[in-house]
Each structure stands twice: as structure tokens, then as C-alpha cells.
Amino acid sequence: MFEKEKQEVIKAGMTLDRYGLIALSGGNVSVRMESGEILITPSGMIYEDMVADDVLVMDVQGNVIEGERKPSSDTDGILYIFQHRPDINATIHTHQPYATAVGLVEDEFTVNLTTLANASAGHVKVTPYSSPGSVDLGMDTVEYLVSSLAVILAHHGVMTVGRTLKQALYAAVYLEEAAKCYLAARAVGPVKKMTQAQIQQSIDIFQFYGQGNG
């Protein structure tokens, strides 16, 4: 069931590793199918070691439809996101170091680069601390996302979302790139800001980026 989509989930996890957004088995990837089922990565497995059968198929209430592995420890929080945001079809959770570091010094990562506006669709809020493996992670994500595609989970990591897996993946990668630039700039002086008009233009233009395949 959903063999192609499961391979795409695994590939996304390997991409997170390639860009340094996770280490070993950290983080998770999940996707909602058009028919409503949720694909979610298993707990404690390295992505490059996964095969399609390791990715679980669940319903939105958390009942396992297919798969023998233990699901991600963040499953309750992830399902909460899907239950309360029907417009979201993919989530990615990482422990990416630079964006997480921003959350240690800011309450909101204000857009300062076009790539951050492109990928996150606006400012990225920092949530209060929520225990890993708890539904609070999902509740805080839903509350603090607003219209953005990402939140920074205080003292923990990042959650990105999207209409598609590609959109959630771009949000995670470009958020980290922006965080690196921001922290480098902050180390040597005041950080320049973008105007709201510039931010909105960057958000709007990204709607036409790529080849139209999600």
C-alpha cells in the first residue's frame, strides 16, 4: 500500500540528513494521503536503513492500518496537526541546530532573507517548551503556525508543514539556511530588516517557483 509514497517519505528523510537537519534517527516525516491515511516514519530508525515496509500507514485517529514497526514517538502530536489543520498534508520534524539556536535567543524569527519568506511564507514563531513525545508538540504547532509553514519548538527543534511533502521539505531546508545567515550577521552587528512589502513580494513570487509539480 502506497509504495511510491513511502519511498518519497524515506527520500525526504535522507535529504534532511544530507543537509544536516537531523542526526542518526532524529526527527520524523509524515504525509497525508488523498484518501485520508497517514504515512509516518518509525521510531528510532536511520533513514538510509529504511525500506518501504518500515513506514507505517495509520488513520488520523492513530490506528495502525499497515506496518509492524513502532511509530514515531511524536505520533500523537503529528496526528493532532492533521486533525486540526485539514489544509496540511505533510509534516517534517527536525532537530536542525541553527534554527533551534535562534529559538534560544528569540521569540520569533523575523523574516530577514528572501529565502525565509519564500519557504516559510512569513515570520517563524518560537513555541513554548513542550515535552517530546507529547500531544503538546502538535498543539503548540497548530497554535503558533498561523499562516506560516514552520515553527521553532523551544529547546527542541523545528516543525515544518506543507500542502505537499516538497513544500514542507523546502521550508525546513531554507529555514536552516536563513538561520545560519542570521546568526552569522548577529555575531558581528545589528541585523538589517526587510520591509513588509518586500516580504510579501518574496512570498508571492515563490508561488510560481519550480515546474508546477508541487
Side-chain angles (χ1 to χ4, degrees):
M1 184 183 291
F2 307 121
E3 295 302 304
K4 177 185 175 183
E5 291 84 355
K6 288 178 178 179
Q7 292 293 349
E8 290 172 351
V9 165
I10 295 170
K11 182 180 178 181
M14 294 172 68
T15 301
L16 297 174
D17 190 17
R18 182 191 315 150
Y19 284 96
L21 307 190
I22 60 168
L24 297 176
S25 59
N28 49 68
V29 180
S30 63
V31 178
R32 189 201 318 253
M33 299 292 94
E34 288 186 5
S35 48
E37 296 90 346
I38 308 296
L39 306 186
I40 190 164
T41 49
S43 177
M45 290 190 70
I46 296 173
Y47 292 97
E48 63 186 21
D49 293 339
M50 288 184 199
V51 297
D53 285 346
D54 293 321
V55 178
L56 292 96
V57 182
M58 311 179 76
D59 64 24
V60 76
Q61 285 76 41
N63 300 302
V64 175
I65 298 171
E66 180 179 271
E68 301 297 327
R69 298 292 187 181
K70 178 182 176 182
S72 168
S73 59
D74 293 318
T75 294
D76 287 347
I78 292 164
L79 293 177
Y80 183 93
I81 297 170
F82 286 126
Q83 290 163 1
H84 291 82
R85 286 289 301 267
D87 57 316
I88 290 173
N89 295 317
T91 74
I92 290 178
H93 172 47
T94 73
H95 300 151
Q96 54 198 81
Y98 289 94
T100 304
V102 172
L104 296 176
V105 296
E106 301 286 2
D107 293 324
E108 180 179 75
F109 188 10
T110 303
V111 170
N112 50 46
L113 292 169
T114 58
T115 48
L116 182 58
N118 292 160
S120 70
H123 306 310
V124 178
K125 294 184 180 297
V126 180
T127 74
Y129 175 76
S130 56
S131 175
S134 72
V135 71
D136 293 344
L137 176 147
M139 295 174 69
D140 286 341
T141 297
V142 169
E143 180 178 353
Y144 284 83
L145 269 178
V146 192
S147 58
S148 176
L149 298 175
V151 294
I152 298 172
L153 304 166
H155 309 284
H156 185 173
V158 164
M159 183 71 77
T160 66
V161 303
R163 295 184 305 276
T164 65
L165 181 55
K166 180 179 178 180
Q167 188 176 47
L169 182 62
Y170 272 49
V173 172
Y174 284 131
L175 173 58
E176 189 73 346
E177 181 180 274
K180 290 178 183 178
C181 291
Y182 171 76
L183 292 171
R186 181 170 171 170
V188 297
V191 178
K192 294 180 180 179
K193 303 294 184 182
M194 293 175 67
T195 67
Q196 187 56 47
Q198 291 169 335
I199 292 169
Q200 190 59 51
Q201 191 270 346
S202 295
I203 294 172
D204 292 342
I205 198 67
F206 201 64
Q207 304 302 312
F208 303 99
Y209 180 80
Q211 302 302 311
N213 59 355

